[in-house]
Amino acid sequence: MDVKDSNGTLLNEGDSVTVIKDLKVKGSSSVIKRGTVVKNIRLTGDAKEIEGKVEKTVMVLKTEFLKKQ
């Protein structure tokens, strides 16, 4: 299963990615700002999602809003 970012670049465990669009957090009033760096990502069972720590919270992010560093 190939996991790719918004530009089609292959993502691997431990990569760092940048958020390319302000994202609202479900169930919260907070927003992940564009340009936020998510380091040391983990791949999930879904090719369109990754897990990463954002502000000390582990979140699942859609790869269509991410760019590999």
Side-chain angles (χ1 to χ4, degrees):
M1 169 183 68
D2 289 344
V3 180
K4 297 182 178 176
D5 70 1
S6 59
N7 297 327
T9 307
L10 206 58
L11 296 174
N12 301 302
E13 291 270 333
D15 283 348
S16 293
V17 293
T18 305
V19 178
I20 61 170
K21 176 184 174 196
D22 285 358
L23 301 174
K24 289 184 180 171
V25 179
K26 258 189 190 176
S28 170
S29 60
S30 62
V31 174
I32 300 172
K33 294 284 186 197
R34 192 181 92 147
T36 301
V37 176
V38 182
K39 295 180 182 176
N40 201 18
I41 65 169
R42 286 188 307 265
L43 304 181
T44 63
D46 189 338
K48 294 185 174 158
E49 295 178 342
I50 59 101
E51 270 188 6
K53 268 193 182 180
V54 181
E55 295 162 12
K56 299 181 184 170
T57 306
V58 175
M59 296 188 185
V60 175
L61 302 169
K62 294 207 178 277
T63 56
E64 64 192 276
F65 303 119
L66 304 173
K67 177 177 73 174
K68 186 173 181 177
Q69 285 204 304

